[in-house]
Amino acid sequence: MQYEEFKNGIKLSKLGLGAMRLPQAEPGLGKPIDLPKAQALIDTCMAQGVNYYDTAYIYHGGKSETVLGQALSRYPR
């Protein structure tokens, strides 16, 4: 993984995961996020060194932030 180092010493991965496209349990807009698939996706990203995750309150009706937080809670900061 390639990282960009900032002045404060933080290294951020140049590749990130956009939580707007988390897997859904069924096709269509506004459908529930498939939690096991989302966890597997985030686990794969973490295993590859990704530490940049993009989310916003409008993604998945506000659920992407919660799902991302839960998925990342198993990893130390």
Side-chain angles (χ1 to χ4, degrees):
M1 180 59 58
Q2 294 180 359
Y3 297 92
E4 186 71 32
E5 188 168 351
F6 293 87
K7 291 180 183 179
N8 57 5
I10 292 176
K11 292 182 181 178
L12 193 62
S13 58
K14 289 189 174 186
L15 179 66
L17 174 71
M20 183 173 148
R21 299 286 183 218
L22 291 176
Q24 294 178 282
E26 56 187 271
L29 288 173
K31 301 300 181 184
I33 296 170
D34 186 322
L35 298 176
K37 285 183 181 178
Q39 183 68 60
L41 176 64
I42 293 163
D43 289 343
T44 299
C45 289
M46 291 297 289
Q48 298 301 315
V50 172
N51 65 0
Y52 169 58
Y53 295 89
D54 172 60
T55 190
Y57 71 94
I58 60 171
Y59 296 169
H60 295 279
K63 302 288 189 228
S64 69
E65 292 174 328
T66 304
V67 169
L68 190 59
Q70 290 172 347
L72 292 173
S73 69
R74 62 174 62 184
Y75 296 97
R77 293 181 186 220

